Each structure stands twice: as structure tokens, then as C-alpha cells.
Amino acid sequence: MNKSNLVRVSASMPAKVLEDLDRLVKRRGFQNRSALLTEMIQKEVALQNQKHSDEVMAGTVTLFYDHTILGLQHKLNEIKHKYVAEIISSTQIQLVDQHTLEVNLLQGSAQTLQMISDEMIANRGVKTGSLYLVNSVIPPIQSQSHAS
């Protein structure tokens, strides 16, 4: 980050909150409070945008599911084909006790990605799932000048 773009701000907070903040800075390995607060604010902005915006974003849907549930993997694959333009990549790893951890890389409007995430997580056999979005986009594979 360019230092000329930095703006100094001041905030008042209870002493206990400041102590918790300092412990978190240390635990997470940040250089200072400003770096942690910047990361936390950016994360909150992305969360709000994914709920209230149609802005194009990139992100992941992470699923943890029981792969022995009849038809679950077929349903998840149908969703991936239905949203082939938004689901860029998908990878699965088999865990112990018939579980699978799956991570899907997505890009598209925040509302569409939220809908895809909800559709995946709602399936019987999915134990947990989460959507994480960032206010950024994946660069195109080919530039427009090279496309034929």
C-alpha cells in the first residue's frame, strides 16, 4: 500500500476491546493494529457487498459433506453444470469416515454467488458450508486483443 494513500483515524473503544485487539494482532501475526483493522474492515465490506450488491466478485464455496448420501454428489455436479460460467474450478479431497471436503472457486455477481452457495449447502448430506467473497475479480484467461 502506498503511504501517500494512508489516512490517520482515531477511534474510542472500551479498554477490554483494545486489549482483545492487541492479543488478536499478536496471535494473527500482524505488524500493528492498523493492518489488522484494515483486514477486518475489508472483510466486513465484502460480506456486506455479497448480501446487498450485484457487484462482480470472486470467492469460494467450501463444503463438508457425507459422500455416502445417495444422489448428493450427482446433485452437486448438476449445480456445477448449471452454473458453469460462475464456477471456475472445483476440487475435492476424501477425508476419513466417508466425508469429503470440497472447495469451489467462483466469480460472478455477489447475489448469484450467494444463490449458488445456498443451493449447494441446502442439499441433504452437506454438514457445513460457507461462502467467502472478495471485492476483486479473476483476470481473463485471454485478453480481448488476443481473442479471435
Side-chain angles (χ1 to χ4, degrees), residues 59-125:
T60 59
V61 173
T62 302
L63 305 171
F64 173 67
Y65 59 86
D66 180 345
H67 60 251
T68 64
I69 299 297
L70 191 61
L72 175 59
Q73 289 180 318
H74 178 73
K75 288 178 186 176
L76 293 174
N77 284 334
E78 284 182 336
I79 294 168
K80 291 174 201 172
H81 285 283
K82 180 177 173 183
Y83 299 106
V84 70
E86 291 82 11
I87 300 176
I88 309 298
S89 175
S90 180
T91 189
Q92 303 84 24
I93 186 164
Q94 305 309 311
L95 305 173
V96 296
D97 298 327
Q98 305 163 343
H99 290 107
T100 296
L101 179 65
E102 179 174 312
V103 179
N104 297 280
L105 175 61
L106 304 98
Q107 179 170 277
S109 74
Q111 291 175 348
T112 300
L113 300 184
Q114 183 67 57
M115 181 182 64
I116 293 168
S117 173
D118 292 344
E119 193 171 334
M120 293 178 114
I121 293 169
N123 283 284
R124 184 176 156 267

Side-chain angles (χ1 to χ4, degrees), residues 2 5 12 18 27 82 84-85 100 108 118 128 138-139 142 148:
N2 185 343
N5 293 336
S12 299
L18 185 59
R27 185 178 322 133
K82 180 177 173 183
V84 70
T100 296
D118 292 344
T128 62
I138 300 166
Q142 291 185 335
S148 47

Side-chain angles (χ1 to χ4, degrees), residues 1 18 21 29 43 45 50 52 55 85 93 118 121 134 137:
M1 181 182 321
L18 185 59
L21 178 65
K43 191 181 291 185
V45 168
Q50 81 184 49
H52 305 291
E55 179 181 352
I93 186 164
D118 292 344
I121 293 169
V134 293
V137 295

Side-chain angles (χ1 to χ4, degrees), residues 9-26:
V9 297
S10 175
S12 299
M13 61 186 70
K16 171 73 170 101
V17 173
L18 185 59
E19 291 169 15
D20 291 342
L21 178 65
D22 287 339
R23 277 195 294 277
L24 194 55
V25 166
K26 192 171 190 173

